[in-house]
């Protein structure tokens, strides 16, 4: 695990904080980076009630068992990645304690806990035209009747692998993208959003 | 482009998947006992039917899970999708083309 003081946002060189506005006003699309989030890859047997119970006891979170769903509890959010795999997202620098708690709770079980916080950057995309921007580069059906708040999916946006998570009805999305693709995806999103009016805000 | 129904994620574009070739080829229980032709047959010889073909696919840009697909090689129609370890369903495949 990287020392906290060494961690650098994948988009730090774009100077987004300097461009951030306090009020996005009439902008149709609002972009932000959400730096530093803790991310833990958790694997275990979804059929094992002992595993699910141990996770819930360790971090106060009932894992989502249905494909493409998410669940929040404690300070963490879990995104479904596969039938026996989840991404547990914690607030910045919360991953160490969460991983430790999970490892202690799961040490006698068939499970794996891996800190992958530095693997992905997170880009926040919201605004009334956010869905239109995604539709330019993503083949998923994002219509509200299919993909609403709390849904997640692993797919491609502009050919970059993205873990997409819709967080509210604005609509707002979090795009988890491997950090080497973060600049490319950010610039692509800026270009795709230009016609709707774009504002950059501080992601915090 | 094919629309492939991943058993977990639902219908997704073909570009999200990778094909792993023909399915249902068990590894020999005792590889050391095989003759060279038998080993070559296991490694290299594959069906090439004009009709229903059972294949392994992996949802490499999604949930990264392997599963089986029964696909018609002429129409590309996907007749069945089923999980690893499950037997191929009845799809009208020509049994004469099955390897021994």
């Amino acid at each position: 695990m990287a020392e906290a003081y060494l961690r650098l946002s994948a988009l730090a060189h774009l100077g987004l904080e300097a461009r951030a506005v306090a009020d996005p006003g009439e902008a149709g699309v609002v972009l932000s980076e959400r730096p530093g989030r803790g991310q833990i890859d958790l694997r275990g047997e979804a059929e094992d009630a002992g595993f699910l119970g141990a996770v819930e006891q360790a971090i106060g979170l009932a894992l989502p068992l249905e494909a493409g769903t998410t669940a929040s509890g404690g300070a963490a959010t879990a995104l479904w990645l596969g039938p026996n795999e989840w991404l547990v997202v914690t607030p910045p620098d919360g991953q160490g304690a969460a991983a430790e708690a999970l490892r202690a709770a799961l040490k006698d079980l068939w499970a794996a806990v891996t800190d992958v916080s530095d693997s992905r950057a997170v880009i926040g995309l919201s605004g009334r035209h956010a869905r239109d921007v995604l539709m330019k580069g993503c083949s998923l059906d994002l219509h509200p009747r299919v993909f609403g708040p709390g849904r997640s999916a692993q797919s491609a946006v502009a050919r970059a692998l993205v873990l997409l998570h819709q967080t509210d009805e604005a609509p707002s999305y979090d795009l988890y993208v491997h950090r080497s693709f973060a600049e490319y995806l950010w610039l692509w999103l800026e270009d795709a959003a230009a016609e709707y009016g774009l504002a950059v805000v501080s992601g915090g | 482009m094919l629309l492939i129904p991943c058993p977990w994620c639902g219908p997704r574009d073909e570009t999200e998947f990778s094909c792993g070739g023909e399915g249902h080829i068990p590894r020999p229980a005792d590889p050391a006992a095989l003759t060279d032709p038998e080993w070559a047959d296991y490694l290299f010889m594959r069906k090439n039917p004009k009709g229903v073909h059972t294949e392994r696919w992996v949802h490499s840009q999604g949930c990264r899970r392997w599963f089986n697909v029964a696909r018609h090689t002429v129409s590309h129609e996907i007749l069945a999708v089923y999980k690893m370890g499950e037997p191929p369903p009845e799809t009208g495949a020509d049994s004469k083309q099955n390897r021994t």
Side-chain angles (χ1 to χ4, degrees), chain A residues 41 43 67 80-85 120 139-140 152-156 159 161-162, chain B residues 1 3 6-13 15-16 59-65 83:
Chain A
D41 188 276
R43 300 197 70 161
W80 186 96
L81 295 181
N84 56 7
E85 187 175 11
R120 295 186 186 87
S139 65
L140 288 175
S152 74
Q154 298 162 95
S155 188
R159 310 198 71 178
L161 263 58
V162 163
Chain B
M1 186 183 305
L3 197 61
C6 169
W8 286 280
C9 303
R12 296 289 185 92
D13 284 353
T15 50
E16 294 190 10
H59 192 189
S60 42
Q61 296 190 10
C63 61
R64 298 183 303 284
R65 263 56 188 187
K83 293 180 181 175

Side-chain angles (χ1 to χ4, degrees), chain B residues 29-74:
Chain B
D30 184 6
L34 260 54
T35 63
D36 283 354
E38 284 171 334
W39 185 244
D41 185 53
Y42 162 69
L43 283 183
F44 304 118
M45 300 306 286
R46 296 292 181 262
K47 277 183 285 186
N48 185 21
K50 183 177 181 181
V52 179
H53 192 219
T54 55
E55 301 166 333
R56 299 172 301 166
W57 285 76
V58 60
H59 192 189
S60 42
Q61 296 190 10
C63 61
R64 298 183 303 284
R65 263 56 188 187
W66 285 90
F67 55 95
N68 290 305
V69 172
R71 179 179 64 92
H72 197 289
T73 57
V74 178

Side-chain angles (χ1 to χ4, degrees), chain A residues 124-135:
Chain A
L125 167 68
S126 65
R128 63 184 188 281
H129 284 294
R131 189 175 286 115
D132 300 317
V133 168
L134 279 181
M135 280 163 57

Side-chain angles (χ1 to χ4, degrees), chain A residues 152-192:
Chain A
S152 74
Q154 298 162 95
S155 188
V157 174
R159 310 198 71 178
L161 263 58
V162 163
L163 169 57
L164 186 67
H165 177 205
Q166 183 169 346
T167 52
D168 67 32
E169 283 177 19
S172 300
Y173 301 91
D174 283 347
L175 284 72
Y176 294 76
V177 61
H178 288 289
R179 62 181 289 144
S180 54
F181 283 85
E183 179 184 6
Y184 158 74
L185 186 65
W186 178 276
L187 295 175
W188 185 90
L189 287 168
E190 273 199 26
D191 184 58

